[in-house]
């Protein structure tokens, strides 16, 4: 069992998440959207662009990403 430095791990996760900006995703509503910005406080709920509207998934909890396209 190894402990990891949480600050280093957070930086790695942020780097991985930021590499997803610009990717196209499918939402649970079966709609297609693009990832526009990663929320540093909630990496799994980015800002997306859907039908020319920007949506913050950390605030629109009824929507979620189900797959990367």
């Amino acid at each position: 069992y190894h402990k990891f430095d949480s600050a280093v791990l957070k930086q790695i996760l942020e780097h991985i998440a930021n590499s997803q900006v610009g990717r196209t995703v499918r939402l649970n509503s079966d709609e297609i959207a693009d990832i526009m910005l990663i929320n540093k406080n909630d990496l799994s709920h980015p800002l997306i662009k859907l039908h020319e509207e920007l949506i913050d998934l950390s605030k629109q909890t009824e929507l979620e990403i189900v797959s990367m396209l």
Side-chain angles (χ1 to χ4, degrees):
Y1 177 73
H2 297 280
K3 276 195 163 186
F4 296 100
D5 182 331
S6 61
V8 172
L9 187 56
K10 184 175 185 209
Q11 287 180 337
I12 292 169
L13 291 174
E14 285 178 7
H15 178 73
I16 292 169
N18 283 327
S19 72
Q20 302 307 306
V21 171
R23 297 276 312 260
T24 301
V25 296
R26 182 176 309 277
L27 304 174
N28 60 332
S29 63
D30 208 36
E31 295 172 292
I32 305 299
D34 295 312
I35 296 175
M36 303 304 291
L37 182 70
I38 300 301
N39 180 344
K40 285 188 175 191
N41 296 316
D42 192 351
L43 296 176
S44 63
H45 294 98
L47 182 73
I48 61 168
K49 185 175 182 182
L50 176 65
H51 306 301
E52 302 303 316
E53 180 182 354
L54 293 177
I55 299 172
D56 184 346
L57 291 182
S58 69
K59 296 179 181 165
Q60 295 280 346
T61 57
E62 70 276 0
L63 288 176
E64 61 183 44
I65 295 171
V66 294
S67 65
M68 304 295 277
L69 301 176

